[in-house]
Amino acid sequence: MKDITYKGFTGSVHFSEIDNIFYGQIKGISDLITYEGESVIELTKAFHEMVDEHMKDCTAQNIGP
């Protein structure tokens, strides 16, 4: 499936037929950050939320994303 992007971050997109969900992880970072949703809209929203949370955590720890 095609990757998604937000604020310069790229995320993978996969689909599980067994669980009937879309899922992925943020690429290109040292942390393992995943997200999921029951629709493409939910997956995209979850990806955006995780990117925003990652950026907030990096700022709090005074490290670059």
Side-chain angles (χ1 to χ4, degrees):
M1 298 192 119
K2 187 173 178 165
D3 291 340
I4 54 178
T5 59
Y6 176 66
K7 294 186 178 180
F9 290 88
T10 301
S12 63
V13 177
H14 303 280
F15 180 72
S16 170
E17 289 183 59
I18 295 169
D19 299 319
N20 200 33
I21 61 163
F22 292 93
Y23 65 95
Q25 75 180 61
I26 299 175
K27 296 179 169 185
I29 62 173
S30 58
D31 295 324
L32 175 60
I33 301 176
T34 62
Y35 43 87
E36 65 180 52
E38 292 183 3
S39 68
V40 173
I41 292 171
E42 285 183 10
L43 177 81
T44 302
K45 181 180 176 190
F47 171 60
H48 290 185
E49 289 171 354
M50 295 311 292
V51 166
D52 290 340
E53 188 67 28
H54 175 66
M55 292 177 67
K56 187 173 90 175
D57 290 344
C58 288
T59 300
Q61 296 175 26
N62 200 27
I63 57 175

